[in-house]
Coordinates of all heavy atoms in Angstrom, one line a residue:
L63 N 107.4 57.4 153.7 CA 106.3 57.1 154.7 C 105.9 55.6 154.7 O 105.5 55.1 153.7 CB 105.0 57.9 154.4 CG 103.9 57.8 155.4 CD1 104.4 58.3 156.8 CD2 102.8 58.7 155.0
V64 N 106.0 54.9 155.8 CA 105.6 53.5 156.1 C 104.2 53.6 156.7 O 104.0 54.3 157.6 CB 106.5 52.8 156.9 CG1 106.1 51.3 157.1 CG2 108.0 52.7 156.3
T65 N 103.3 52.8 156.2 CA 101.9 52.9 156.7 C 101.3 51.4 156.6 O 101.9 50.5 156.1 CB 101.1 53.9 155.9 OG1 99.8 54.0 156.5 CG2 100.9 53.4 154.5
T66 N 100.2 51.4 157.2 CA 99.3 50.1 157.1 C 98.2 50.4 156.2 O 98.2 51.4 155.5 CB 98.8 49.8 158.6 OG1 97.9 50.9 158.9 CG2 99.9 49.5 159.5
T67 N 97.2 49.5 156.1 CA 96.1 49.8 155.2 C 95.2 51.0 155.6 O 94.3 51.3 154.9 CB 95.2 48.5 155.1 OG1 94.8 48.2 156.5 CG2 95.8 47.4 154.4
I68 N 95.6 51.7 156.7 CA 94.9 52.9 157.1 C 94.9 53.9 155.9 O 94.0 54.7 155.8 CB 95.4 53.5 158.3 CG1 94.4 54.5 159.0 CG2 96.8 54.1 158.2 CD1 93.2 54.0 159.5
L69 N 95.9 54.0 155.1 CA 96.1 54.9 154.0 C 95.8 54.2 152.7 O 96.3 54.8 151.7 CB 97.5 55.6 154.1 CG 97.9 56.5 155.3 CD1 99.1 57.2 155.0 CD2 96.7 57.5 155.5
E70 N 95.1 53.2 152.7 CA 94.8 52.5 151.4 C 93.9 53.3 150.5 O 93.8 53.1 149.3 CB 94.3 51.1 151.5 CG 92.8 51.1 152.0 CD 92.3 49.7 152.2 OE1 93.1 48.8 152.8 OE2 91.1 49.4 151.9
R71 N 93.2 54.2 151.0 CA 92.1 54.9 150.4 C 91.9 56.3 150.9 O 92.3 56.5 152.2 CB 90.8 54.2 150.3 CG 90.2 53.9 151.7 CD 88.9 53.0 151.7 NE 89.3 51.6 151.3 CZ 88.7 50.8 150.5 NH1 87.6 51.2 149.9 NH2 89.1 49.5 150.4
G72 N 91.2 57.2 150.2 CA 90.8 58.4 150.8 C 91.8 59.5 150.8 O 91.5 60.7 151.3
V73 N 93.1 59.2 150.5 CA 94.1 60.2 150.5 C 94.8 60.4 149.1 O 95.0 59.3 148.5 CB 95.2 60.0 151.6 CG1 94.5 60.3 153.0 CG2 95.7 58.6 151.6
T74 N 95.1 61.5 148.7 CA 95.8 61.6 147.6 C 97.2 62.2 147.7 O 97.3 63.3 148.3 CB 95.0 62.6 146.5 OG1 93.8 61.9 146.3 CG2 95.7 62.7 145.2
F75 N 98.3 61.6 147.2 CA 99.6 62.1 147.2 C 100.1 62.3 145.7 O 100.1 61.3 145.0 CB 100.5 61.1 147.9 CG 100.1 60.9 149.4 CD1 99.7 59.6 149.7 CD2 100.2 61.9 150.3 CE1 99.4 59.4 151.0 CE2 99.7 61.6 151.6 CZ 99.4 60.4 152.0
P76 N 100.5 63.5 145.3 CA 100.9 63.7 144.0 C 102.3 63.0 143.7 O 103.2 63.0 144.6 CB 101.0 65.1 143.8 CG 101.1 65.7 145.2 CD 100.4 64.7 146.1
C77 N 102.4 62.3 142.6 CA 103.7 61.8 142.1 C 104.4 60.7 142.9 O 105.6 60.6 143.0 CB 104.7 63.0 141.9 SG 104.1 64.3 140.9
V78 N 103.6 60.0 143.7 CA 104.2 59.0 144.7 C 104.3 57.7 144.1 O 103.7 57.3 143.1 CB 103.1 58.8 145.9 CG1 101.9 58.0 145.5 CG2 103.7 58.2 147.1
D79 N 105.4 57.0 144.5 CA 105.7 55.6 144.2 C 105.2 54.7 145.4 O 105.3 55.1 146.5 CB 107.1 55.3 143.9 CG 107.6 56.0 142.6 OD1 106.8 56.0 141.6 OD2 108.7 56.4 142.5
V80 N 104.8 53.5 145.2 CA 104.3 52.6 146.2 C 104.9 51.2 146.1 O 105.0 50.6 145.1 CB 102.7 52.5 146.1 CG1 102.2 51.4 147.0 CG2 102.0 53.8 146.4
F81 N 105.4 50.9 147.3 CA 105.8 49.5 147.6 C 104.9 48.8 148.6 O 104.5 49.5 149.5 CB 107.2 49.4 148.2 CG 108.4 49.9 147.2 CD1 109.6 49.9 147.7 CD2 108.2 50.3 145.9 CE1 110.7 50.3 146.9 CE2 109.1 50.7 145.1 CZ 110.4 50.7 145.6
V82 N 104.5 47.5 148.3 CA 103.8 46.8 149.3 C 104.7 45.6 149.7 O 105.0 44.8 148.9 CB 102.4 46.2 148.7 CG1 101.6 45.5 149.8 CG2 101.6 47.4 148.2
V83 N 105.1 45.6 151.0 CA 105.9 44.4 151.4 C 105.0 43.4 152.0 O 103.9 43.7 152.6 CB 107.0 44.8 152.5 CG1 108.0 45.7 151.8 CG2 106.3 45.6 153.6
E84 N 105.3 42.1 151.7 CA 104.5 41.0 152.1 C 103.0 41.1 151.6 O 102.0 41.1 152.3 CB 104.3 40.9 153.7 CG 105.7 40.6 154.3 CD 105.6 40.3 155.8 OE1 105.2 41.3 156.5 OE2 105.9 39.1 156.3
A85 N 103.0 41.5 150.3 CA 101.7 41.7 149.6 C 100.8 40.5 149.7 O 99.6 40.7 149.5 CB 101.9 42.1 148.2
N86 N 101.4 39.3 149.9 CA 100.5 38.1 150.0 C 100.1 37.8 151.4 O 99.5 36.8 151.7 CB 101.3 36.9 149.5 CG 102.7 36.7 150.2 OD1 103.3 37.7 150.5 ND2 103.1 35.5 150.4
H87 N 100.2 38.8 152.3 CA 99.8 38.6 153.8 C 98.3 38.6 153.8 O 97.7 39.3 153.0 CB 100.3 39.8 154.6 CG 100.2 39.6 156.1 ND1 99.0 39.8 156.7 CD2 101.0 39.2 157.1 CE1 99.0 39.6 157.9 NE2 100.3 39.2 158.2
R88 N 97.7 37.8 154.7 CA 96.2 37.7 154.7 C 95.4 39.0 154.9 O 94.3 39.1 154.6 CB 95.9 36.7 155.9 CG 96.4 37.1 157.2 CD 96.0 36.2 158.3 NE 96.5 36.6 159.6 CZ 96.1 37.5 160.4 NH1 94.9 38.2 160.0 NH2 96.6 37.9 161.5
L89 N 96.1 40.0 155.5 CA 95.4 41.2 155.8 C 95.3 42.2 154.6 O 94.6 43.1 154.6 CB 96.2 42.0 156.9 CG 96.1 41.4 158.3 CD1 97.0 42.3 159.3 CD2 94.7 41.3 158.7
F90 N 96.0 41.8 153.5 CA 95.9 42.5 152.3 C 94.8 41.8 151.4 O 95.1 40.9 150.6 CB 97.2 42.6 151.5 CG 98.2 43.6 152.1 CD1 99.4 43.0 152.5 CD2 97.9 44.9 152.4 CE1 100.4 43.9 153.0 CE2 98.8 45.7 152.9 CZ 100.1 45.3 153.3
S91 N 93.6 42.2 151.5 CA 92.5 41.7 150.6 C 92.7 42.2 149.2 O 93.5 43.1 149.0 CB 91.1 42.2 151.1 OG 91.0 43.5 151.1
H92 N 92.0 41.6 148.3 CA 92.1 42.1 146.9 C 91.6 43.5 146.7 O 92.2 44.3 146.0 CB 91.4 41.1 145.9 CG 90.1 41.6 145.4 ND1 88.9 41.4 146.2 CD2 89.7 42.3 144.3 CE1 87.9 42.0 145.5 NE2 88.4 42.5 144.4
S93 N 90.6 43.9 147.4 CA 90.1 45.2 147.3 C 91.1 46.3 148.0 O 91.2 47.4 147.4 CB 88.7 45.4 148.0 OG 88.8 45.1 149.4
A94 N 91.7 45.8 149.0 CA 92.8 46.7 149.7 C 93.9 46.9 148.7 O 94.4 48.1 148.5 CB 93.3 46.1 150.9
L95 N 94.3 45.9 148.0 CA 95.4 46.0 147.0 C 95.0 46.8 145.9 O 95.8 47.6 145.3 CB 95.9 44.5 146.6 CG 96.5 43.7 147.6 CD1 96.8 42.3 147.1 CD2 98.0 44.3 148.1
V96 N 93.8 46.8 145.4 CA 93.3 47.6 144.3 C 93.4 49.0 144.7 O 93.8 50.0 144.0 CB 91.9 47.2 143.8 CG1 91.4 48.4 142.9 CG2 91.9 45.9 143.2
Q97 N 93.0 49.3 146.0 CA 93.0 50.7 146.5 C 94.4 51.2 146.6 O 94.7 52.4 146.4 CB 92.2 50.7 147.8 CG 90.7 50.6 147.8 CD 90.1 51.8 147.1 OE1 90.6 52.9 147.0 NE2 88.7 51.7 146.9
I98 N 95.3 50.4 147.2 CA 96.7 50.7 147.4 C 97.3 51.1 145.9 O 98.0 52.0 145.8 CB 97.4 49.6 148.0 CG1 97.1 49.5 149.6 CG2 99.0 49.7 147.9 CD1 97.5 48.3 150.2
A99 N 97.0 50.2 145.0 CA 97.6 50.5 143.7 C 97.1 51.8 143.2 O 97.8 52.6 142.5 CB 97.1 49.3 142.7
G100 N 95.9 52.2 143.6 CA 95.3 53.4 143.1 C 96.0 54.7 143.6 O 95.6 55.9 143.2

């Protein structure tokens, strides 16, 4: 599943792996990256 920051929080997927492409893009704030990591 490819997504934007719309799924950075509030949803739980069991056993998922996560890739962030262009993690240094200006739209990925530090709080967004923490949430994504979570």
Side-chain angles (χ1 to χ4, degrees):
L63 182 62
V64 182
T65 185
T66 60
T67 53
I68 193 70
L69 292 188
E70 77 182 36
R71 62 185 77 220
V73 288
T74 299
F75 302 112
C77 305
V78 73
D79 291 323
V80 169
F81 291 179
V82 184
V83 292
E84 298 183 297
N86 55 323
H87 193 281
R88 59 180 176 79
L89 292 177
F90 289 121
S91 64
H92 101 274
S93 64
L95 291 173
V96 169
Q97 289 287 351
I98 288 168

